[in-house]
Amino acid sequence: LAEPLVAKANSPQKKQIALAQAQALMDWLQSFHFPSQIRKSKLENVQIHSSGCGRLVIEWKEENNNSELSWEKNMQAALKKVVAEDLGNMNATELFSSIPETDSEGRGLSNLRSQWKRKCLSK
C-alpha cells in the first residue's frame, strides 16, 4: 500500500505523510473491510497481518490463484472508495457546540451523554 503513495511524494516530509496514510489505510482495511470479506469468503483460516513498510500479508490454507487475484481486486476497489480529507485545525469546543441535541435517528448530544455515562459507569 505504501509504495505507490511514497512514489508520488516529492519531499522527505511528504514521504513521511505517505507512510502515515498507508498505515491508516492498512488499519482501516484490517478493522473494517477484511473482517466482512473473511466472513463472506469460503476460505479457511484466513490470516491478515502487517509485515511493516506499508505491506499487508494475507494468508489462507487453500492454494488458489484466483482467490489471490480476487482479494487484490476487492481490496483495490475498497480503497478507491476511501476519501482522505484534510480537516484542518480542529477545535473541539466549536465542534461540540455544532452537535444537535437529537436527530431523526436518535443520535446527537443526548445519545453522546448517555454513551459517556455508560462508559464511565462501566469502569
Side-chain angles (χ1 to χ4, degrees):
L1 291 174
E3 291 169 2
L5 295 172
V6 171
K8 291 179 187 176
N10 55 9
S11 73
Q13 183 181 14
K14 288 185 179 180
K15 288 182 186 209
Q16 289 299 319
I17 292 170
L19 288 172
Q21 185 180 11
Q23 183 61 50
L25 289 171
M26 288 189 324
D27 292 344
W28 178 81
L29 285 167
Q30 287 180 294
S31 299
F32 301 104
H33 180 69
F34 288 140
S36 66
Q37 295 306 307
I38 290 170
R39 283 191 304 273
K40 291 176 187 177
S41 76
K42 304 283 190 247
L43 299 173
E44 294 182 24
N45 296 330
V46 177
Q47 296 179 356
I48 300 169
H49 57 275
S50 171
S51 67
C53 299
R55 295 180 187 270
L56 280 174
V57 177
I58 304 169
E59 300 174 327
W60 58 83
K61 272 186 173 183
E62 298 175 19
E63 292 293 325
N64 185 341
N65 290 337
N66 292 336
S67 292
E68 184 176 337
L69 184 60
S70 173
W71 277 77
E72 177 71 22
K73 284 182 179 180
N74 188 293
M75 183 181 74
Q76 292 301 328
L79 289 174
K80 285 181 182 178
K81 296 176 186 175
V82 175
V83 176
E85 294 182 41
D86 181 2
L87 299 177
N89 190 7
M90 305 290 283
N91 182 327
T93 307
E94 289 177 18
L95 290 172
F96 190 79
S97 65
S98 70
I99 301 172
E101 189 61 36
T102 188
D103 68 2
S104 62
E105 295 182 24
R107 300 171 299 201
L109 282 178
S110 57
N111 185 30
L112 189 56
R113 286 187 197 104
S114 67
Q115 288 178 13
W116 281 340
K117 266 187 194 175
R118 283 194 304 266
K119 186 173 183 176
C120 290
L121 293 174
S122 69
K123 286 185 177 182

